[in-house]
């Protein structure tokens, strides 16, 4: 199972969402969280994602888009990488 989360800046919300995922599941066997930095320019989102990959090998993967793509395009790029997998698109609302 692949869980995709596309992020653009909003470091605090990204961090909170990832923490919730990490805290919610003890057995992560068969699950991969794919984070997409969708052209963030805040100077922390991509760096945070790289730390997560290093701290969670095999569970978290991160990709970076050079620019902010449409949400559907960013998700579609990940979907193409995992043909035949069950894929869940995670979207979060912030205010």
């Amino acid at each position: 199972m692949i869980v995709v989360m596309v992020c653009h800046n909003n470091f605090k919300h990204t961090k909170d969402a990832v923490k919730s995922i990490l805290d919610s599941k003890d057995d992560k066997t068969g699950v991969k969280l794919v984070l997409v930095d969708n052209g963030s320019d805040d100077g922390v989102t991509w760096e945070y994602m790289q730390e997560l990959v290093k701290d969670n090998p095999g569970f978290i993967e991160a990709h970076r888009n050079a620019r902010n793509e449409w949400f559907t395009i960013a998700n579609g790029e990940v979907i193409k990488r995992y043909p035949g997998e069950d894929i869940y698109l995670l979207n979060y609302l912030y205010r």
Side-chain angles (χ1 to χ4, degrees), residues 1-53:
M1 172 175 54
I2 309 296
V3 178
V4 183
M5 188 168 86
V6 176
C7 312
H8 175 75
N9 294 328
N10 298 307
F11 169 71
K12 180 191 178 321
H13 299 290
T14 300
K15 186 176 178 180
D16 290 347
V18 170
K19 182 180 181 331
S20 176
I21 292 167
L22 291 173
D23 291 349
S24 70
K25 188 165 175 48
D26 290 333
D27 180 16
K28 296 173 180 69
T29 304
V31 178
K32 181 180 291 281
L33 175 61
V34 179
L35 303 173
V36 179
D37 180 348
N38 203 16
S40 295
D41 58 6
D42 59 6
V44 292
T45 299
W46 177 242
E47 290 75 9
Y48 171 67
M49 289 180 182
Q50 290 175 307
E51 288 177 30
L52 287 169
V53 169

